[in-house]
Amino acid sequence: MLRQIREAMAGSIPAQAKLTAVARTIAASMVAEVCSIYLRRASGEMELFATEGLDPGAVHVTRMRPGEGLIGEIMRLGRPLNLSDAPSHPAFSYRPETGEDPFHAFMGVPLLRGGRAIGVLVVQNRTSRVYAEDDVEDLQIIAMVLAEMVAGGDVLSREELKDVEIAPRRSERLKGARFADGLAFGIAVLHEAPVAVGRLLADDVQAEEARLSSAIARLQAQIDAMLEGHEGIAGASYDVLESYRMMAHSRSWNHSLQDAVHSGLTAEAAVERVRSEHRAGIGQARDPYLRERLHDLEDLNDRLLRHLSGDGEKARVLPENAILIARNLGPADLLEYDRKRLRGLLLEEGSSASHAAIVARAMDIPCVGRLAGLRDRVSEGDPVIVDAESGEAYLRPRPDVVEAITARIGARAERRAEFARLKDTPAFTRDGAKITLLMNAGLAVDLDTLPDTGAEGIGLFRTEFQFMVSEDLPRFSAQTDLYARVMAAAGGRPVIFRTLDLGGDKVLPYLQAEREDNPALGWRAVRMGLDRPALLRMQLRALIAAVAGRPLSVMFPLVTSVEEFRAARALVDREVAWAVRRGRPAPSRLEVGAMIEAPSLIWHLDALLPLTDFVSVGTNDLMQYMFAADRGNPRVSDRYDPLSPPALRALKTIRDACAESGTPVSVCGEIAGRPLEAFALIALGFDRLSMPPAGVGPVKRMVLSCDRGAASRGLASLLSSSAGSVRGEVEALARKIAVAV
Ligand code: PEP
Ligand code: MG
């Protein structure tokens, strides 16, 4: 049949006649009385483009609104509809002009291209019958060939295609969530890149079968090797790799591919057909596990296409100003792209605590996530804007939007330049208080930014990031190497290493097997470290080895009780003694601190502080526990305001207790990097703030313009307010005393 279609397409007859000839050929070979082809107009309407069996007068006249009728239903579902009696289906929409009254049996399949439905192919019969599975499969293969031909301009001329939506063309704005701050304008690059399928119909079926078998064998061997070496598919854990391997060897996948080749398709077209089905399925799958598996399968199909083209192992080359588009990314995926060419990142899924978001922030790549429907709405090469200030993405933006964003990108660059000029200016308030500004870091890529920020050191080094971006548990030597690099990059500036803060939203498949109902309140941070002392001790040993006789500052996350801190501190002392016994240098100065992140400690500071050398307030966690609002859940995370009397009073209690006992204290949550919140912290008396690198410049500008005495006096009266938030009042205070927030 495919050959007959090809013949129908050949020759120089007008396009409309060609399309009608195709419909006729399909009807004849499917033994159907009707065959119709609908294509989607840019308006979203589905228009009858050709028919055999319906009234020819309906061609280009019958149009269905988006979602209307059985055609709309097929477009919506992205999969076939096989009905013995179409008129009795609830979605059926009667169109008298088509003369379809006598026809009952109905089979329609979407014309899928790159995972999107661009039209619908329908066959109909008078008698009520259910078409066989084989018929559905045949029609899907034909639909795929037809979709490629239509999109490739083989059937309709450019002029005729002008208003047919082969790929999305309208400007769109999608609302998502901010994962990493910034703005970018560039060209869409799909992470799961479509590999162009050239030839569709095989000249020699046997030769195609041989090509397919050989490519599958190479793919399977590649995945087996990945599993053995644990390397390769970035970020995938062993379990994921194992299930991936099982899929590559799965008989049903192999059979679907072989069947498609057997029917006359080239190996590439066979992969594309199987993939199109899966992609359409992904859109339907509600179960997250199933969705993940379908994604894996899609990825396998991509890999197989690359093997067929001989590019199985090659890396991607990016355009100058690439915006990466993906459903989600594994921890190391982003690191594989050329940073110099990567301007931004748009994700369909993910969360701000997801690996991709963490790495994007560390690499200073603007990122917006949770953009529903993103992958279906953007094509490779589309111009796109990442607006991570507002958490939006603009697809194929209008020129005025591009102009506005370009101006904002320019203004941002100017502000950055201004902050860069302040880099070496010490941060003193106008009334002479020295404020120490430090930066938070966690990956090797962060270290590069230290000299440019003007930060005086690293106030929080999140050691768990190394674990999160690894396939498996980083060895002792890898840990020591990283800590030594951090020390070298700091070049004598202070560094506070935080021990592993895993669990909660940072789950590692190789460490935590059990699922918890309430992970944020579960087995995490120092709790895990104390229950698995071998892991914590190995880390402490690596830290002691890395500082090699220089000063060491280490702090423990989510300490909840004085007992926990005592036990954790004892482990440090033990490891130092162990090193000394072996003749290795002890740190020249050892400082052990606690993070204050659990509200319980606020009422036990008198017992805790004498045991600590310093403390650091982790406001991200402290606030989520105080306000019982999951920091990673956008539905609740913004309901409370850190600039509220309860939050500010809690912070004041901590700062006053530290002042009284002479314990150095810093704030290292995200709020320390926001000028207005940092203004309030300084007014409360804090003088050490550790923040994301991008916060240092704006906060320094605020400090330089701030009269701390006036700020403290102004803030004092707000602490007893009965309002849920005093943000407006804090803003007014900053304005009144001319602070640049
Ligand atoms: C915090 O909780 O404020 C903090 C700094 O730690 P993390 O964000 O890594 O939990
Ligand atoms: Mg924390």
Side-chain angles (χ1 to χ4, degrees):
M1 187 193 335
L2 291 171
R3 215 140 283 135
Q4 286 168 346
I5 292 178
R6 188 151 62 173
E7 279 157 21
M9 312 283 306
S12 54
I13 52 171
Q16 185 63 54
K18 256 190 209 176
L19 207 55
T20 309
V22 170
R24 191 172 310 127
T25 311
I26 296 171
S29 54
M30 298 292 295
V31 201
E33 283 131 347
V34 174
C35 173
S36 311
I37 298 165
Y38 291 82
L39 294 176
R40 175 152 80 178
R41 289 287 187 189
S43 62
E45 278 184 323
M46 298 297 295
E47 181 174 311
L48 180 64
F49 261 71
T51 186
E52 162 70 13
L54 295 184
D55 190 330
V59 171
H60 298 303
V61 171
T62 297
R63 289 184 171 190
M64 312 290 247
R65 289 188 311 279
E68 187 190 349
L70 298 175
I71 304 299
E73 190 73 357
I74 294 167
M75 292 293 281
R76 192 175 66 79
L77 297 172
R79 59 178 149 80
L81 211 52
N82 181 2
L83 306 169
S84 62
D85 184 37
S88 61
H89 190 282
F92 180 77
S93 163
Y94 176 63
R95 289 306 175 90
E97 75 274 11
T98 59
E100 64 179 326
D101 306 58
F103 305 109
H104 289 269
F106 173 105
M107 170 168 59
V109 299
L111 298 175
L112 291 172
R113 188 154 186 280
R116 299 180 63 255
I118 62 165
V120 172
L121 176 62
V122 176
V123 293
Q124 289 172 279
N125 281 83
R126 278 171 200 272
T127 48
S128 289
R129 57 173 278 211
V130 176
Y131 297 94
E133 271 298 303
D134 282 355
D135 292 335
V136 180
E137 290 241 323
D138 286 350
L139 200 63
Q140 281 180 293
I141 292 180
I142 296 168
M144 194 195 86
V145 173
L146 193 57
E148 284 299 326
M149 287 173 164
V150 168
D154 296 347
V155 192
L156 301 171
S157 67
R158 248 174 209 293
E159 192 50 35
E160 287 157 321
L161 272 177
K162 215 169 72 192
D163 194 33
V164 173
E165 191 168 83
I166 302 299
R169 270 183 265 174
R170 268 174 303 138
S171 285
E172 283 188 76
R173 188 174 74 166
L174 303 183
K175 182 87 190 121
R178 314 164 36 163
F179 285 2
D181 191 32
L183 296 172
F185 173 52
I187 300 297
V189 170
L190 306 185
H191 177 60
E192 301 99 352
V195 182
V197 176
R199 252 175 351 110
L200 291 167
L201 302 180
D203 296 323
D204 176 348
V205 172
Q206 267 180 348
E208 266 336 286
E209 281 173 345
R211 282 183 67 230
L212 178 69
S213 303
S214 131
I216 291 179
R218 269 178 286 141
L219 171 74
Q220 289 171 340
Q222 182 193 31
I223 290 171
D224 290 348
M226 279 174 183
L227 201 73
E228 268 155 38
H230 291 216
E231 86 243 322
I233 308 168
S237 69
Y238 192 85
D239 279 356
V240 171
L241 273 176
E242 178 61 44
S243 72
Y244 198 72
R245 192 177 74 90
M246 277 164 54
M247 264 189 251
H249 287 268
S250 111
R251 290 167 68 114
S252 69
W253 185 57
N254 277 276
H255 278 161
S256 314
L257 290 166
Q258 300 285 2
D259 284 353
V261 165
H262 206 69
S263 72
L265 293 180
T266 58
E268 285 87 349
V271 178
E272 185 63 25
R273 180 175 115 62
V274 172
R275 183 165 73 150
S276 287
E277 260 179 33
H278 291 139
R279 277 199 174 158
I282 287 173
Q284 309 308 317
R286 298 220 158 169
D287 178 35
Y289 178 79
L290 189 62
R291 282 175 67 91
E292 282 303 315
R293 298 286 75 79
L294 287 167
H295 282 167
D296 287 354
L297 246 178
E298 193 186 0
D299 190 57
L300 265 189
N301 289 315
D302 276 340
R303 267 174 201 276
L304 185 53
L305 278 182
R306 286 199 287 274
H307 276 287
L308 280 166
S309 70
D311 288 347
E313 325 288 340
K314 283 189 201 149
R316 302 273 305 276
V317 179
L318 294 182
E320 281 295 339
N321 49 349
I323 307 281
L324 193 63
I325 312 281
R327 286 210 162 78
N328 210 343
L329 288 178
D333 285 348
L334 208 47
L335 301 172
E336 282 172 6
Y337 288 95
D338 179 355
R339 170 69 190 95
K340 285 195 212 70
R341 289 166 175 255
L342 196 57
R343 292 290 146 83
L345 173 62
L346 295 176
L347 298 175
E348 184 155 334
E349 299 170 353
S351 78
S352 120
S354 62
H355 297 134
I358 290 170
V359 178
R361 283 197 289 271
M363 293 171 78
D364 200 16
I365 297 173
C367 172
V368 176
R370 291 228 186 92
L371 294 159
L374 171 71
R375 275 290 285 102
D376 279 346
R377 293 197 164 102
V378 63
S379 310
E380 180 98 6
D382 277 353
V384 284
I385 288 171
V386 181
D387 184 345
E389 286 181 351
S390 67
E392 288 168 316
Y394 294 82
L395 313 177
R396 303 166 293 279
R398 293 192 319 264
D400 54 328
V401 178
V402 173
E403 205 174 300
I405 209 83
T406 312
R408 279 170 59 203
I409 291 173
R412 247 184 115 87
E414 267 171 39
R415 270 205 311 277
R416 281 198 172 206
E418 185 197 335
F419 300 144
R421 283 193 294 278
L422 291 179
K423 181 166 72 93
D424 299 317
T425 311
F428 280 96
T429 61
R430 280 186 15 229
D431 48 349
K434 169 74 176 49
I435 307 296
T436 305
L437 303 182
L438 305 156
M439 76 171 226
N440 297 344
L443 288 170
V445 286
D446 288 331
L447 303 173
D448 305 340
T449 61
L450 178 61
D452 301 333
T453 56
E456 291 179 53
I458 297 176
L460 166 65
F461 189 84
R462 294 178 161 111
T463 58
E464 65 276 6
F465 283 8
Q466 183 187 23
F467 285 61
M468 290 166 67
V469 298
S470 308
E471 304 288 339
D472 41 29
L473 199 77
R475 292 163 196 273
F476 174 77
S477 57
Q479 293 184 41
T480 313
D481 283 353
L482 175 64
Y483 306 151
R485 275 171 66 193
V486 176
M487 294 297 288
R493 284 172 278 214
V495 181
I496 298 177
F497 290 97
R498 173 175 76 185
T499 61
L500 286 179
D501 185 9
L502 292 168
D505 52 3
K506 303 170 196 158
V507 178
L508 298 186
Y510 55 80
L511 269 184
Q512 278 161 302
E514 273 171 48
R515 224 186 70 78
E516 296 180 304
D517 283 342
N518 260 318
L521 303 179
W523 193 56
R524 54 166 295 202
V526 78
R527 302 170 183 182
M528 198 193 265
L530 293 175
D531 288 356
R532 291 262 187 102
L535 190 65
L536 182 51
R537 283 178 56 194
M538 169 151 86
Q539 183 177 33
L540 294 170
R541 205 168 279 189
L543 284 166
I544 293 165
V547 302
R550 288 168 290 180
L552 171 62
S553 295
V554 53
M555 68 180 174
F556 295 101
L558 199 72
V559 175
T560 319
S561 70
V562 173
E563 248 45 70
E564 276 174 354
F565 182 73
R566 213 178 259 133
R569 181 160 198 145
L571 286 179
V572 184
D573 293 338
R574 214 166 126 180
E575 284 312 313
V576 172
W578 185 88
V580 171
R581 271 204 309 282
R582 271 165 186 69
R584 301 187 188 147
S588 59
R589 195 178 66 239
L590 177 65
E591 289 176 335
V592 185
M595 286 192 79
I596 301 193
E597 302 188 283
S600 58
L601 283 186
I602 298 179
W603 293 276
H604 222 180
L605 291 168
D606 53 342
L608 177 77
L609 297 181
L611 304 178
T612 61
D613 297 312
F614 67 93
V615 293
S616 188
V617 192
T619 44
N620 305 338
D621 276 316
L622 183 62
M623 297 298 151
Q624 85 160 337
Y625 296 126
M626 276 181 59
F627 290 94
D630 182 346
R631 62 192 262 191
N633 177 351
R635 260 184 135 155
V636 298
S637 58
D638 292 336
R639 285 193 183 207
Y640 65 83
D641 192 343
L643 291 181
S644 61
L648 294 172
R649 279 199 235 169
L651 289 167
K652 182 169 165 31
T653 304
I654 297 169
R655 133 73 215 178
D656 290 352
C658 289
E660 200 175 307
S661 69
T663 310
V665 56
S666 62
V667 175
C668 64
E670 299 289 310
I671 60 167
R674 298 191 205 130
L676 187 66
E677 281 86 340
F679 166 67
L681 291 171
I682 288 172
L684 288 173
F686 287 98
D687 42 26
R688 288 177 78 78
L689 304 178
S690 190
M691 62 200 81
V696 178
V699 169
K700 186 182 279 187
R701 189 173 70 143
M702 179 277 292
V703 169
L704 295 174
S705 65
C706 178
D707 179 331
R708 187 194 223 174
S712 298
R713 286 189 295 279
L715 193 74
S717 63
L718 300 180
L719 296 183
S720 51
S721 159
S722 64
S725 164
V726 289
R727 180 166 295 270
E729 289 82 346
V730 177
E731 254 161 7
L733 172 64
R735 254 198 319 274
K736 189 170 135 209
I737 60 175
V739 179
V741 285

